Amino acid sequence: MSTVTRSASASPCMALNGIIDASLFPLKSTSDVVNLFRRALTSAIEPDLTLLSIVVGYIELSLTTGEAAQAAQAAQAALGGSNEVIMGNSVPFPVVTHELIAGLYKKFQTILSVVDKPKPHRQATREIIKKVSDVIWNSLIRSSYKDRAHLQNLYSYLSGNKLDCFGVALATTAGCQLLGYRDVRLAISEDHAWVVFGQKHVESIEVTWHGKGSEDKRGQDISAGIESGSWLYLGGLAVICERGMEVAAICVALNISLSANSDCVEVAELQQQLLWLLYDLGHLKRYPMALGLLGELEEINRTHRSITCEQLFREAIESSRNYYHNHHVYPHIFQGNYYNRLLKYREAFAAWANAADVIRLYTYQCRDDEEIYKELLDIANELIPYVMKTESSGHSARSILRDAEVFANLLRFYDGICQWEEDSLTPILHIGWAKPLVTNITKFDYDIRSQVVIKLPEDVEAEQAAALEAKKKATAAATAAATAAALEASLHAEGNNNNNNTVVKKDEKSKSELPTTLADLTAACGEKILNPDFLLQGGGQPFADQKQQAVAEQTTSSELSHNNNNHINNNTSSSNNAEKEATTISNNGNNEANSNSNSNNNEQQQQQQQQQQQHKEAKVEEISQLELANSKQPAVVDDYDPFEIMLKRPVITLYSQKMKGLKDLLLAEKLNTHAISLQVTAQSVASRKVRGSGTDSRQPATISATITAIASTEGASIGGSATSAASTDSFTPTRPKRTRRE
């Protein structure tokens, strides 16, 4: 191992002037390469993408192609096709010399010499970037227009004139940097790459192709791809790289595969150490794909003591949510596959459902979305059926087949895929998707399926509107109650100030004598717990925490009224007939001059007050006896709380037209598998035709109802029911009538 004694800050190797520091070479081990990258990333000069890509590309191809690949195939054949890991490699670690790297570096400068270098403080233009891309494009071998392994680095380009689609984008970015255009940056989605430029990096340009074809997109803006809703462009929320993140992209692009069934341990170790270096320097926090890849490498061979692979998967998801509005799918797939390998099926289903929630944001494009389609197809038709088969072999209380939340996540997964299919010119859910879907759903019993609360967007909107209206009413009621309480407090204060001379209006007195149940309910609504005795029997106070207060208040009021009756008499005088309100003036000093009529009125009032007091005392005694009886009985703890069970019921909202039509079928006691399969496979074609006729907002629901009606009928009435149900659908009559056997 070579020892580097020069400081990183003084290293001229990243001067981007064609002079490479010879003291950094040769590189004889993984640690030497990591030190080279550390110098490049910590230097005051930005890292040279050309130099770093050539170095790691040479190491990758030396360890994974040629003699190394042949040795790996021979070792795999000797093991008889088993999946054992072959530790070690017959090919030693390649020595990276200064002469080799300097020669290739000079060759790349010669290729770019036809492009004009920028004047000082001049930014790149669309024409300049297109010219750099043309130079690289025209020097490629025609047969390399396909994505193959180990073609994503500049060593592959400079040694064999071969690059894949990502390699062309990387070479264009590195070429612009080498020429001096520092505003050109690499933009990366989950399966594509392009270039952004300008002062704020808002202008974009295609510099490569994508997929199996070699369509020339170079020079075009990516706005058309964003407007199409394709996953390929992530809705305009791709990773816009800084120089450190572009170095991370070079490391992520390393391909560790030796053959179809074997990987190179040395390349995987190099990639893992380089990603940890970038992680420690903070260049991966905005790169979800790199975090997910590092998590997979840590799962295979853990090298970090404090950070686990599960934490890295979570960081990838958080990065997608914080910086890209949760528009990246692969972080959720990384996490779901990880939990599946650990046999944590509940967590795996939740992660896969989260991935489907992201893919529903896009519209399926057949040519552009091929890779993510394969990933989701593998989950739906391989991983989930295998889990279901494993779990159904032996039923237990802990099985996921007895978990309603797992069933809800399964529906959410398929709902996301169905919504991804909507507005697409190509259907997704053919019969190959429908059969596993039906099989997976039938694994759950009715008592589990019925626990899931399925809502539609219309129901959610109605609930939100009702909640808003209820909130407004509660606010108004609270305001009215506060006003009434303030008025009552002011009247009470005024009565205390005039103990011997109080004027009370008869209508206000009558209001105060009315039962205050409604006022209590209004004032304490939403703040206190209702009293069950009041609701069931009509007795006591309306709220539970008013029991103790009622006893004390009623006892105090009875004593006060008794004292007032002994010492205070009301004096009633005649009033004018034209006035609607009559007042009563009480004066303690005129008790001896009262007339007989006043005495009769006083006696009647005293009798009424005594009756009310007796009634209140009886209620107080009844409440006290009830509380005493409850205190003597031991407290019984009921483990079965229906409200708690209801709160635990999973609630999901179905947004796709297909799954909306399946709502009643999914919750039926006996599943109609034919109806489910028919709904899943027939809806896409029908919705596409309807969309062409310009009435897509109305017809899909009609088609769903038609399919449900056709499949739910039994016996000989199937044909007639189908005809009547399809009378409102302009496309259904064109279908041939089905016999009972069909």
Side-chain angles (χ1 to χ4, degrees):
M1 180 186 299
S2 61
T3 304
V4 180
T5 58
R6 300 182 62 180
S7 62
S9 61
S11 176
C13 68
M14 304 305 159
L16 297 175
N17 56 4
I19 301 176
I20 301 176
D21 187 6
S23 64
L24 297 175
F25 298 91
L27 305 177
K28 298 181 179 180
S29 63
T30 300
S31 60
D32 292 344
V33 179
V34 173
N35 289 332
L36 175 68
F37 273 75
R38 181 178 289 107
R39 280 174 168 264
L41 293 168
T42 57
S43 174
I45 304 174
E46 65 181 18
D48 190 342
L49 301 179
T50 303
L51 172 64
L52 300 180
S53 181
I54 292 174
V55 170
V56 295
Y58 172 70
I59 296 173
E60 175 189 336
L61 268 71
S62 300
L63 293 175
T64 57
T65 60
E67 296 180 3
Q70 295 175 0
Q73 293 177 356
Q76 190 70 23
L79 292 175
S82 63
N83 295 326
E84 295 183 11
V85 178
I86 304 174
M87 300 301 297
N89 196 333
S90 59
V91 178
F93 191 89
V95 179
V96 183
T97 63
H98 175 265
E99 293 76 13
L100 173 66
I101 302 302
L104 295 176
Y105 196 94
K106 185 66 175 179
K107 181 179 179 181
F108 192 49
Q109 287 179 320
T110 304
I111 294 174
L112 298 174
S113 61
V114 297
V115 183
D116 297 333
K117 293 186 178 181
K119 296 180 180 180
H121 307 291
R122 186 177 179 181
Q123 296 179 345
T125 61
R126 189 175 299 272
E127 291 75 18
I128 293 294
I129 299 175
K130 177 67 164 55
K131 191 171 183 179
V132 174
S133 175
D134 288 340
V135 170
I136 297 172
W137 180 275
N138 294 329
S139 60
L140 294 176
I141 298 176
R142 300 297 104 181
S143 61
S144 66
Y145 290 156
K146 293 183 180 180
D147 289 337
R148 297 177 180 175
H150 316 297
L151 300 181
Q152 76 289 350
N153 53 73
L154 286 178
Y155 178 81
S156 173
Y157 169 65
L158 297 173
S159 61
N161 296 99
K162 296 179 181 180
L163 284 175
D164 60 7
C165 61
F166 172 79
V168 174
L170 176 63
T172 303
T173 306
C176 291
Q177 183 197 26
L178 198 61
L179 291 171
Y181 295 99
R182 304 298 173 85
D183 61 314
V184 179
R185 292 289 188 269
L186 183 65
I188 306 174
S189 70
E190 294 185 303
D191 193 39
H192 191 40
W194 58 93
V195 165
V196 295
F197 61 98
Q199 185 176 2
K200 296 183 178 180
H201 301 153
V202 294
E203 298 184 68
S204 61
I205 179 174
E206 293 273 13
V207 294
T208 184
W209 78 97
H210 177 265
K212 295 180 179 179
S214 59
E215 294 85 358
D216 188 2
K217 294 183 178 181
R218 294 176 300 110
Q220 301 176 9
D221 194 271
I222 66 166
S223 57
I226 297 175
E227 293 173 358
S228 67
S230 173
W231 160 80
L232 189 66
Y233 297 93
L234 297 178
L237 295 171
V239 178
I240 307 300
C241 297
E242 298 297 333
R243 288 299 181 219
M245 298 174 67
E246 288 171 347
V247 176
I250 294 174
C251 299
V252 170
L254 283 172
N255 194 325
I256 65 175
S257 62
L258 277 167
S259 62
N261 300 319
S262 59
D263 295 331
C264 179
V265 177
E266 290 81 2
V267 178
E269 181 183 357
L270 174 63
Q271 185 181 40
Q272 188 174 5
Q273 293 189 23
L274 291 176
L275 288 177
W276 272 123
L277 172 64
L278 292 159
Y279 179 90
D280 295 335
L281 295 175
H283 295 302
L284 301 188
K285 63 180 181 180
R286 291 177 176 265
Y287 202 160
M289 181 70 76
L291 290 170
L293 177 60
L294 181 58
E296 289 192 335
L297 293 173
E298 280 293 302
E299 182 186 2
I300 298 173
N301 178 30
R302 183 174 181 180
T303 59
H304 203 285
R305 295 181 179 180
S306 58
I307 301 177
T308 63
C309 55
E310 185 174 4
Q311 289 176 306
L312 291 171
F313 293 136
R314 291 176 181 174
E315 287 185 25
I317 294 174
E318 291 300 321
S319 176
S320 174
R321 290 174 177 172
N322 295 335
Y323 301 111
Y324 307 105
H325 302 289
N326 198 24
H327 274 60
H328 291 211
V329 184
Y330 271 106
H332 300 284
I333 295 180
F334 280 141
Q335 187 183 49
N337 294 345
Y338 166 73
Y339 285 132
N340 179 59
R341 290 189 291 268
L342 293 184
L343 307 182
K344 295 182 178 181
Y345 297 134
R346 289 177 176 83
E347 293 82 356
F349 272 72
W352 290 332
N354 292 335
D357 283 340
V358 178
I359 201 63
R360 74 167 74 241
L361 302 174
Y362 307 105
T363 301
Y364 175 63
Q365 307 291 333
C366 181
R367 298 178 66 89
D368 293 340
D369 299 347
E370 182 180 2
E371 289 300 320
I372 196 63
Y373 176 86
K374 293 178 181 178
E375 292 285 349
L376 296 174
L377 180 65
D378 183 63
I379 293 172
N381 292 4
E382 298 294 335
L383 299 182
I384 293 180
Y386 179 78
V387 172
M388 292 296 181
K389 181 179 179 181
T390 304
E391 290 292 301
S392 61
S393 59
H395 280 275
S396 64
R398 298 176 63 101
S399 173
I400 63 170
L401 302 180
R402 304 298 303 170
D403 193 337
E405 186 175 356
V406 174
F407 179 69
N409 287 327
L410 179 65
L411 298 183
R412 190 156 58 94
F413 173 77
Y414 281 105
D415 182 57
I417 295 177
C418 291
Q419 194 170 5
W420 182 36
E421 180 189 46
E422 292 180 359
D423 299 327
S424 173
L425 299 178
T426 306
I428 297 178
L429 297 179
H430 47 74
I431 192 63
W433 288 76
K435 287 183 177 179
L437 167 62
V438 173
T439 304
N440 295 334
I441 292 175
T442 55
K443 298 291 185 180
F444 294 90
D445 296 334
Y446 169 71
D447 60 333
I448 303 301
R449 289 184 283 109
S450 60
Q451 294 179 18
V452 180
V453 179
I454 299 179
K455 294 184 178 181
L456 304 180
E458 300 81 12
D459 302 335
V460 176
E461 293 176 0
E463 290 179 358
Q464 293 177 351
L468 182 61
E469 186 67 22
K471 185 177 181 181
K472 291 181 179 180
K473 291 182 179 180
T475 304
T479 304
T483 304
L487 181 60
E488 183 179 357
S490 62
L491 292 176
H492 182 68
E494 184 178 353
N496 291 335
N497 294 331
N498 301 294
N499 289 329
N500 296 326
N501 189 6
T502 306
V503 179
V504 182
K505 293 183 179 181
K506 288 185 177 180
D507 57 341
E508 293 178 356
K509 184 177 180 180
S510 61
K511 288 182 181 179
S512 63
E513 291 178 355
L514 291 175
T516 60
T517 302
L518 182 58
D520 292 340
L521 286 172
T522 304
C525 182
E527 299 178 359
K528 302 177 182 181
I529 302 175
L530 293 175
N531 182 12
D533 298 332
F534 175 79
L535 295 176
L536 298 176
Q537 302 176 3
Q541 295 296 322
F543 297 96
D545 60 350
Q546 289 181 342
K547 288 183 178 180
Q548 301 297 334
Q549 296 178 3
V551 177
E553 290 177 357
Q554 291 174 2
T555 305
T556 305
S557 62
S558 62
E559 293 178 356
L560 291 175
S561 62
H562 180 69
N563 295 332
N564 290 334
N565 290 331
N566 292 334
H567 300 288
I568 299 174
N569 293 321
N570 294 326
N571 184 18
T572 307
S573 62
S574 61
S575 61
N576 192 357
N577 294 330
E579 295 178 356
K580 293 182 179 180
E581 295 179 357
T583 59
T584 302
I585 303 175
S586 61
N587 193 343
N588 293 332
N590 297 328
N591 288 335
E592 296 179 358
N594 289 337
S595 61
N596 294 330
S597 59
N598 292 337
S599 301
N600 294 332
N601 291 333
N602 291 334
E603 292 177 358
Q604 292 178 0
Q605 292 177 0
Q606 291 178 1
Q607 291 178 1
Q608 292 177 359
Q609 292 177 357
Q610 290 177 0
Q611 292 177 0
Q612 292 178 0
Q613 181 179 355
Q614 293 176 359
H615 181 67
K616 291 180 180 178
E617 291 177 353
K619 283 193 173 183
V620 171
E621 184 178 358
E622 181 181 355
I623 293 173
S624 62
Q625 291 178 358
L626 181 61
E627 292 178 352
L628 182 61
N630 292 335
S631 63
K632 291 181 179 180
Q633 295 178 357
V636 179
V637 179
D638 190 2
D639 294 334
Y640 180 80
D641 188 355
F643 295 102
E644 185 178 355
I645 297 300
M646 290 178 63
L647 291 175
K648 290 183 178 180
R649 295 180 63 182
V651 180
I652 60 170
T653 302
L654 300 179
Y655 296 94
S656 64
Q657 293 295 334
K658 284 185 176 181
M659 298 302 289
K660 285 180 183 179
L662 291 176
K663 176 183 177 182
D664 296 332
L665 297 174
L666 294 171
L667 300 180
E669 183 174 1
K670 184 177 180 181
L671 286 174
N672 193 332
T673 57
H674 174 67
I676 296 174
S677 179
L678 187 63
Q679 168 76 358
V680 169
T681 56
Q683 179 74 19
S684 58
V685 178
S687 64
R688 181 163 63 88
K689 291 182 179 180
V690 170
R691 192 164 39 248
S693 64
T695 57
D696 56 341
S697 61
R698 175 179 57 84
Q699 289 290 352
T702 306
I703 297 172
S704 301
T706 302
I707 295 174
T708 304
I710 292 174
S712 59
T713 49
E714 298 179 357
S717 62
I718 291 181
S721 175
T723 304
S724 61
S727 60
T728 59
D729 190 356
S730 59
F731 300 102
T732 306
T734 61
R735 302 172 185 168
K737 293 184 178 180
R738 299 177 180 270
T739 62
R740 183 172 181 179
R741 178 174 298 177
E742 292 174 344

